[in-house]
Amino acid sequence: MNIVNFTPVSALTGGLLIGLSVALFFILNGRMIGISGIASNFLVSKNNRVDNFLFLVGLILGPLIYSYTTGKEINISISSSLILLIIGGVLVGFGTKLSNGCTSGHGISGISRFSLRSIIATITFMIVGILTVLITGIL
Amino acid sequence: MNKIVSLLCGIIFGIGLVISEMINPEKVLGFLNIFRDWDPSLAFVMIGALIVSTPIFHFFKNKNKPVFSSNFSIPTNKEIDKKLIIGAVFFGSGWGLIGLCPGPAITSIALLNMSSAIFVISMFIGFYLGSKVN
């Protein structure tokens, strides 16, 4: 194993902001953030639909406000083929709906609550993610 | 007021994903690539988030009510069942395949990237299918 591209300061700073968002949403609105829950409930449930919609709009505004205020360009790189994007997207949507949480819902909110369910889910999707990268790297 | 909070928390979360670079699938795949060239950054994102959210949650969970809402809504499901594990396996495999999870995927719509748009549409189809199974 080699350590590469490690950016601890920006990772920690971004993480603190994510934690702040989770904390504020809880103190002020009384809900624990999980993006898969917010997005999927926006799709299938009338409960909190406007709140969920506004949160998703906020997520999309985030990068725009960041670029506008800092003048920095945001670059991302996705090299996956069309068919893989579709398979990956469906797997992520279906899986997070089935287990009621994703990296934020289980990985941050759930672990904050010391929920055993979320800790087990997080360990599971981390291990499977690592194995998937290992396998696709070999193929 | 809680509408403004929802929008504001979304913005803060989105900026957090940009600064931490979790919006970039390459960065996430680098974290999952522990057996070759490993980028540990994502672990620091989680640590950063948890050191804020954990104490705040435990301090406020026993208060009467949140500031702008009538009651706290905290998940009560404690069951560790097949759906949890199978769902996490599906999610982990899709996450490892592309490097996008729901938050960064939706946030990246701002960048008008065609690949992430296809991913997001597929993810919403997955949400719908999952809600039918649940």
Side-chain angles (χ1 to χ4, degrees), chain B residues 115-134:
Chain B
S115 295
S116 68
I118 292 164
F119 182 90
V120 169
I121 293 166
S122 309
M123 182 175 81
F124 272 89
I125 294 169
F127 286 151
Y128 180 76
L129 296 174
S131 73
K132 292 290 156 200
V133 174
N134 265 355

Side-chain angles (χ1 to χ4, degrees), chain A:
Chain A
M1 186 218 291
N2 306 305
I3 302 279
V4 295
N5 303 327
F6 186 32
T7 52
V9 176
S10 59
L12 199 64
T13 311
L16 291 170
L17 282 174
I18 292 168
L20 176 71
S21 168
V22 171
L24 285 176
F25 204 61
F26 184 67
I27 298 170
L28 302 175
N29 283 6
R31 294 169 61 197
M32 293 299 277
I33 288 179
I35 311 281
S36 66
I38 289 176
S40 65
N41 285 328
F42 166 69
L43 183 72
V44 300
S45 162
K46 287 196 175 76
N47 291 339
N48 296 314
R49 190 167 256 165
V50 178
D51 280 53
N52 289 339
F53 174 71
L54 288 170
F55 185 91
L56 298 175
V57 169
L59 272 185
I60 298 168
L61 287 176
L64 303 176
I65 293 170
Y66 175 85
S67 297
Y68 185 76
T69 50
T70 62
K72 284 184 194 156
E73 207 177 314
I74 303 162
N75 291 309
I76 65 170
S77 163
I78 308 176
S79 48
S80 314
S81 66
L82 177 67
I83 186 75
L84 279 186
L85 286 167
I86 294 171
I87 293 169
V90 172
L91 282 171
V92 167
F94 184 78
T96 53
K97 192 68 197 167
L98 204 63
S99 67
N100 275 310
C102 56
T103 335
S104 53
H106 282 310
I108 297 169
S109 294
I111 293 181
S112 299
R113 294 188 288 112
F114 307 140
S115 153
L116 182 62
R117 199 178 127 79
S118 290
I119 292 167
I120 289 176
T122 306
I123 292 170
T124 306
F125 66 66
M126 288 272 181
I127 291 175
V128 174
I130 288 165
L131 291 176
T132 306
V133 168
L134 182 68
I135 294 165
T136 52
I138 293 167
L139 296 178

Side-chain angles (χ1 to χ4, degrees), chain B residues 26-106:
Chain B
E26 221 171 33
K27 193 85 181 156
V28 175
L29 293 176
F31 171 74
L32 295 173
N33 196 13
I34 60 169
F35 294 112
R36 288 179 288 258
D37 296 323
W38 189 42
D39 174 359
S41 306
L42 177 64
F44 278 61
V45 182
M46 287 197 68
I47 292 166
L50 287 171
I51 54 175
V52 180
S53 59
T54 306
I56 296 279
F57 172 78
H58 290 277
F59 184 77
F60 284 90
K61 68 175 179 182
N62 296 321
K63 304 274 174 203
N64 283 335
K65 66 185 242 3
V67 180
F68 300 124
S69 186
S70 53
N71 55 288
F72 284 111
S73 145
I74 300 168
T76 50
N77 188 353
K78 290 197 163 45
E79 215 171 320
I80 293 152
D81 53 8
K82 271 190 209 151
K83 273 200 324 193
L84 180 78
I85 304 299
I86 294 169
V89 169
F90 276 121
F91 168 42
S93 56
W95 191 40
L97 208 54
I98 311 295
L100 280 171
C101 55
I106 293 168

